[in-house]
Amino acid sequence: MKKGLFIICILTASLIKAEDGYDLWLRYKPVENKLLLQSYRSFLKDISVSGNSATIQIIRNELLKASRGMLAQIPVFNATGNKGLIIGNNKKEKKNVAFGQEGFAINSATLAGKPVINIEANTDIGLLYGVFHLIRLIQTEQPISALNMISQPKLKLRLLNHWDNLNRTVERGYAGFSIWNWHTLPGYIDKRYIDYARTNASIGINGTVLTNVNANAVILTGPYLEKVKALADVFRPYGIKVYLTARFSAPIEIGRLRSADPLNDSVQNWWKEKIKEIYSVIPDFGGFLVKANSEGQPGPQDYKRNHADGANMLADAVAPFGGIVMWRAFVYNPESNDRFKQAYEEFKPLDGKFRNNVLVQVKNGPIDFQPREPYSPLFGAMHHTPLMMEFQLTQEYLGQGTHLVYEAPLFKEVLNADTYSKGEGSTVAKVVDGSLDNFSLNGMAGVSNIGNDINWCGHPFAQANWYTLGRLSWDHHLTSEQISEEWIKQTFSKDKKTIGVIKNIMLHSHEALVNYMTPIGLTHIMYNGHHYGPMPWGNTLNRPDWNPVYYHKADSFGIGFDRTAKGTNALVQYAVEVQNQFNDINKCPDEYLLWFHHASWEHKMHSGRTLWHELCYKYNTGVDSVRSFIDQWNSIENKIDAERFRQVQQLLNIQLKDAIWWRNACLLYFQTYSKKPIPSTYEQPDKPLEYYKSIRILYAPGN
Ligand code: GCW
């Protein structure tokens, strides 16, 4: 028996088996460090788990799976004995406030002369999180013999937002069709639903909005609620609540009312009855996410009411059941002279007018998930309303399913930004976690990048962005580097050199993309409609604020959007300290220059180069970075299984072509205004602008 195991270990170590990526970061591969292996084995040999809830059974199964895979050992479960690993609910009358509802403690101790590890929590879900934490320590090969820790999530709502339609297409989805098979639900429970819940629980995600914010009222009808219930039943023991998007005009579309006016009694009653029905089917239903009066979606403004009127109507109806409403601030209309200012203009006057079970959900930047945006000024402006962060995991503007972009640096940049709204140190993170204004209701959402592709996310590295959402919403103090290292060890390799190479690629990937797509604060210059590829010349859509030329404003003088007092004055939406960082064209950080200034082609950048030269430099740096990612990736060929190695290699090659496409198209187009040559030290475009203008991608995914 022992000999057999030994041979298996040798085989797995030398023949890196092909992997399809389905197991994500829960691969449970054999521990390589011998000393640690011994220690893990001794702690996980005898496990005592008390209780018998569905969650406790999940804990047992997970530990069994983890021990089998990583330690080649089957643990003995003994509910009463005080053995190596003791997992137990805090039975004391008084709950331990340090754990809260979802937190846990892990302590190493000695019991009757034997070393033990105790995992303690106030709830079974807390225990599950504790167990996943311990498993993560083992997967990443950290010592566990001297643990003494307490962990509690910094945010209450840690949510995925699926933009999944009922016909299984996914808006801005690049990983296949929706994993929700509405047709076969509720009768058929796809294994994926369980694996989805388990994977989310492993990183602390505790809620999921199942449907697209461009909502379909049909989801609120009886037969569909049965389907939602089936999913909620699967997710519950994993600590995951289900939420839906509410189409504001549902009372008309499925309720036969003539109006959806939030101040109308019959409308209010309709929602009350509907919500009662939902809770009778799903007693722990989380609540609603709403996109209203944005991009053609119905909303309270259709009846001359405001966002608070709309949100509060729904909030009153879900309140008796403990539900919440996440009301999105993603609004803009063509009348404004600057789309940047819209959300603030509509929402700031409503601060303090929302019920206390409403959060306003704000995209990280003022425009729309662009490669780099300054943080949305709303984060410094709403001290009487909890603001929920909305990040986009799906890479709509970040190379979609094709480019390798690790988003943690982007998210951290926003979270660390200082709003100065209550003096220095009023970071966006403190607004979002509620500590700045004392909100116990707080949260972070990520627009999902999950689909039915075998590896869930399309690009093997896109999984890291899902992982990041969970880890950052649990603890936003974690660094991009820590998160990447954890993820790499669990997903690709525990070899030091390999980790170093992959980490280096990941940590530079976002900046590389910014450089080859939208350097120096350029924004929204992508292709119309599907948003893949460059189209800085775009000027044909009816709404000016959908056209790239609206955003870059290139002319013979220069380029960029003047948001100072001489321009649209959007800068006044920030605190004075922040205005001072951006106001002066000579002091404004290079990466935001064209967000706030219309700068001359001759403008002297901090590097000493002119703006035109800097643009050429940045676009070329971006392309060079991708070339270097390819070299780095190739250097670890024998360290990664062939299947995933080749997948990433092929995608990186496409990414390089795309980066060159972006660089050439943008530089040639902007050159028609700058009238300056691309310095001869840089690679020259091999085709004329007309060629780039003629490229059409008719069937891009995700529309
Ligand atoms: O980024 C834009 C997308 C739309 C999306 C919208 C939103 C769901 O292009 O597809 O619609 O944002 O966030 O509501």
Side-chain angles (χ1 to χ4, degrees), residues 163 171-172 214 291 295 328 330 363 368 396-397:
W163 286 357
E171 182 151 351
R172 311 307 176 186
N214 290 334
K291 170 176 179 178
E295 300 185 328
R328 295 177 86 225
F330 177 66
K363 286 188 183 183
D368 188 9
E396 177 177 359
Y397 303 100

Side-chain angles (χ1 to χ4, degrees), residues 163 171-172 174 212-214 291 294-295 297 328 330 332 339 363 367-370 390 392 396-397 447 526 529 531 702-703:
W163 286 357
E171 182 151 351
R172 311 307 176 186
Y174 313 103
N212 192 352
V213 287
N214 290 334
K291 170 176 179 178
S294 162
E295 300 185 328
Q297 291 299 303
R328 295 177 86 225
F330 177 66
Y332 59 103
R339 175 171 165 187
K363 286 188 183 183
I367 303 289
D368 188 9
F369 299 137
Q370 293 299 297
E390 181 175 311
Q392 193 183 43
E396 177 177 359
Y397 303 100
V447 177
M526 70 288 161
H531 298 170
N703 273 314

Side-chain angles (χ1 to χ4, degrees), residues 135-154:
I135 290 176
R136 179 161 51 241
L137 293 178
I138 298 178
Q139 274 217 91
T140 54
E141 304 203 3
Q142 310 291 314
I144 60 169
S145 52
L147 293 173
N148 183 7
M149 61 163 303
I150 291 183
S151 181
Q152 232 205 96
K154 297 225 161 14

Side-chain angles (χ1 to χ4, degrees), residues 13 97 134 148 225 282 317 390 418 501 627 635 663:
V97 283
L134 185 74
N148 183 7
L225 290 177
I282 309 154
E390 181 175 311
D418 199 340
V501 170
R627 285 203 176 105
S635 77
R663 177 196 67 188

Side-chain angles (χ1 to χ4, degrees), residues 340-351:
F340 185 112
K341 302 196 290 190
Q342 281 267 297
Y344 182 103
E345 283 169 351
E346 281 189 37
F347 279 85
K348 167 82 180 152
L350 300 176
D351 190 18

